[in-house]
Amino acid sequence: MSKKLPTPATDQALSFEQATIELQQLVAQMEAGDLPLETSIAAYKRGSELVKYCAAQLDKVEHQIKILEGDMLKPFSAHSEESEE
């Protein structure tokens, strides 16, 4: 029994959350090993596109945060949090 892949949405209309959900579904289907070869290749290609899209979205958000924080971001560590208290 072949499983259908999620219908690819255009990346402009896709939110980060929707992209990660679609990616998780693709991974689960591929890991199950029930997809025919052609469908697996299409799933892999779509997954690659989703990974690139999500990475670009994360880069945008990181850039926005740096602007908002004035490039004063500091690495988070439990030690620095304890010393502030």
Side-chain angles (χ1 to χ4, degrees):
M1 181 168 135
S2 75
K3 296 181 181 181
K4 290 190 174 192
L5 295 174
T7 305
T10 59
D11 289 344
Q12 293 82 15
L14 199 64
S15 73
F16 178 82
E17 291 79 9
Q18 291 168 325
T20 57
I21 289 168
E22 185 178 342
L23 186 58
Q24 289 171 350
Q25 291 170 346
L26 288 172
V27 169
Q29 289 176 347
M30 291 178 72
E31 285 179 344
D34 296 334
L35 297 176
L37 180 61
E38 292 298 320
T39 307
S40 292
I41 292 169
Y44 184 85
K45 181 179 177 185
R46 179 63 181 160
S48 294
E49 293 168 356
L50 289 168
V51 167
K52 289 177 189 174
Y53 174 78
C54 289
Q57 294 302 308
L58 290 173
D59 287 343
K60 280 186 199 177
V61 171
E62 182 179 13
H63 180 70
Q64 290 173 348
I65 290 171
K66 284 181 180 180
I67 289 171
L68 292 172
E69 295 292 324
D71 277 337
M72 298 298 285
L73 293 178
K74 298 177 185 174
F76 176 79
S77 71
H79 178 69
S80 64
E81 189 176 279
E82 290 172 2
S83 63
E84 291 177 5
E85 293 175 359

